[in-house]
Every structure is written in C-alpha cells, then in structure tokens.
Amino acid sequence: MSRVVFITGCSTGIGRALAETCLSRGDRVIATARKASALQYLADNRNATCLTLDVNNEGNLRDVFAKVTEDFGTIDLLINNAGYAAMGPVVELETSELQQQFATNVFAPVAVTQHALPLLKAAGHSVVVNVGSVSGILTTPFSGAYCATKAALHSLSDAMRMELAPFGIRVLTVQPGAIQSSFGDNSLAGVEHLLTEGSAYRAVEDKIRERAVASQQNPTTASDFANQLLDHVDKGSGPVVRIGNGSTALPAMRRWLPLKLMDRILSKKFGLDKIKAG
C-alpha cells in the first residue's frame, strides 16, 4: 500500500535521495525545501508534491501543514532531514551562527513533528525519522556547535520515542556516518569568514577546513543510505540505526577509549597540540 511520506531538506544529498527512493518504491512524497527551484527534479513525477518550506518559519509551517491536511489527511512517514552545519572553534562562532545551528537542527525537527502530529495520529501506525549524526556521539574540535545540536536531537528523539508510542507512532533515530552530499562544501564555505588574521586558530586553518569536509571522506552514496534507511523503516528495526562510513567505528571509539586518550588523539589530529599560548 502506498505511503504518504513528508521529508524536509530535499534539495540535495540525503533529502533528495530519500525523495527519489521513496517514489521508486511507490510512495506518495511531499518533498520540501527552502527554494522551489531546488525541487525541479521532481516536477514530472505525479506522485511528488513539492512545497516550499523554511523549517524555521512558524507561519510557513502552519501554511504547509494546513495544505497537507487538506490534500492528504494523513502522514505515514515523517523524515526530519533538514540540517545546517556551522563549523569552526566554538569560542569564535558568532552568537547568531550558534542560534541558527540550534534553530535548524534542534528546534525545527520538534516544530515540524508538532505540526505533523495530528496527521501522524490519523495514519494509525506511523513513523518519525529524525536524522541525527555520529557527530552527536563523538565530539571533535572545530565542530562543537554541530555536534552539540545532534546530541540534543538524539536526546529529544529518545524522549519522543517513548512519548509518542501510546499513539501508535514509532520514532527512529538515524545516525549517519560519512554520506556523499554537498554538506562538506556548504560547511567549508561557512568557515571562510572565521579564518581572519585575528583568529587564535589561524595556524591550524587547514585542520579547520579538513574538519569541515570530513563527512565527504570515503562516503557512502546518498542512494545507498536512503535504501538502507527505508529498509530499516519497513522492517521495524531498533530505535537507533547507524549507516555509512564511520557510523560504527566512531561511536565505538567514544565508548571504549578513555576520555583523556581521546582528547589527546583528537587534539593531535587537528593540530591543537601545536598551538602556543600567547
């Protein structure tokens, strides 16, 4: 039976692959993105409904879900995928960047789920997928804000899993490793303005750039990720799923290595052992 699938952040990468894969499996897909032009690849698919959505805009959210309620009446699968990465040293991030990071990666998935809740309940047995990250398990230098938001999303997802179960709604947290997308390029573009002459981390700017594109080192394809995730959804797999290069190794390191040793390894990898106080 065809499902109604609502996905945020469908312009590129994981979101696009999920939209295309769901459609190939016979689902009806409500694909959303901030810009309508980013969804042109779905224009000729009669089972795709393309909607412009800024997940941080409350008015936009109300309008979108009013339309979905009128046109569909239910949502069988909600995938909170939209995300944003502000890379760089935590102490040199502008407050606005930190706020934007939490708004998109933490507050927005909750807001989207709140608006979708009546439609998820109406479906009878529905699923919410929250796209976290292994970065929410193992924090690395120069990605502290992003790691913090994913850790927060994991905790919120844990709570939602228990709180929504009485309504027949299953919550699945996916924690991807390296997945092929434009994520690295977007992250890299965001750090360039941080690397000023006055930065205390100017000497390791190459390491900051390296961290920004780390998600694109030997990545799993977005298509493979989408197929594996949807298989987990269909099989009713456990509440936490890890997919992609590094998705099991990095959490294992966090679990088994002493914290002092982990700090030493990461500090050396990102050149922090070479920075001198001045």
Side-chain angles (χ1 to χ4, degrees):
M1 184 177 178
S2 175
R3 294 177 297 194
V4 175
V5 183
F6 187 104
I7 311 171
T8 64
C10 292
S11 57
T12 61
I14 288 175
R16 176 169 178 163
L18 284 167
E20 292 176 328
T21 304
C22 285
L23 288 166
S24 73
R25 295 183 177 210
D27 295 324
R28 291 182 292 165
V29 173
I30 305 162
T32 69
R34 284 187 302 163
K35 297 181 180 179
S37 59
L39 300 173
Q40 281 301 305
Y41 66 94
L42 296 173
D44 297 328
N45 195 309
R46 65 181 183 178
N47 287 325
T49 298
C50 300
L51 300 177
T52 302
L53 175 62
D54 178 348
V55 294
N56 294 317
N57 185 312
E58 179 63 25
N60 194 184
L61 280 169
R62 283 197 303 269
D63 292 343
V64 163
F65 279 97
K67 179 172 178 54
V68 173
T69 300
E70 181 178 353
D71 293 349
F72 293 90
T74 63
I75 292 176
D76 299 293
L77 173 59
L78 167 65
I79 305 179
N80 286 308
N81 167 70
Y84 167 71
M87 297 294 178
V90 171
V91 294
E92 293 189 355
L93 285 177
E94 294 181 5
T95 300
S96 60
E97 290 175 319
L98 192 59
Q99 291 172 333
Q100 180 67 27
Q101 183 85 115
F102 274 84
T104 303
N105 293 357
V106 181
F107 306 146
V110 175
V112 170
T113 306
Q114 288 172 337
H115 281 277
L117 188 56
L119 299 168
L120 293 163
K121 287 181 177 179
H125 295 282
S126 54
V127 181
V128 174
V129 174
N130 292 319
V131 180
S133 172
V134 290
S135 293
I137 301 170
L138 177 65
T139 301
T140 59
F142 310 131
S143 64
Y146 178 72
C147 295
T149 61
K150 290 303 184 180
L153 180 60
H154 294 171
S155 290
L156 289 168
S157 195
D158 286 342
M160 285 192 283
R161 183 177 66 249
M162 294 179 281
E163 293 167 355
L164 295 180
F167 305 106
I169 301 171
R170 183 160 59 95
V171 177
L172 175 66
T173 307
V174 58
Q175 298 171 350
I179 308 297
Q180 191 173 44
S181 69
S182 59
F183 188 84
D185 291 338
N186 294 338
S187 299
L188 185 59
V191 303
E192 291 304 322
H193 73 284
L194 291 173
L195 302 175
T196 62
E197 290 295 336
S199 171
Y201 300 90
R202 185 74 177 180
V204 292
E205 62 179 275
D206 59 324
K207 298 297 184 180
I208 298 176
R209 291 192 175 93
E210 180 182 314
R211 177 59 187 90
V213 298
S215 66
Q216 299 308 295
Q217 295 174 1
N218 191 27
T220 298
T221 68
S223 177
D224 283 346
F225 170 86
N227 275 295
Q228 290 182 54
L229 174 57
L230 292 172
D231 285 346
H232 282 291
V233 170
D234 292 341
K235 293 174 183 176
S237 299
V240 177
V241 176
R242 291 171 182 154
I243 303 171
N245 182 33
S247 63
T248 56
L250 295 179
M253 289 172 63
R254 178 64 184 88
R255 179 176 182 179
W256 297 111
L257 290 183
L259 192 57
K260 284 186 177 181
L261 176 59
M262 180 64 69
D263 284 356
R264 190 158 62 247
I265 291 171
L266 291 174
S267 293
K268 183 175 181 180
K269 177 176 175 59
F270 290 99
L272 292 170
D273 57 332
K274 294 181 173 61
I275 293 181
K276 306 298 182 183

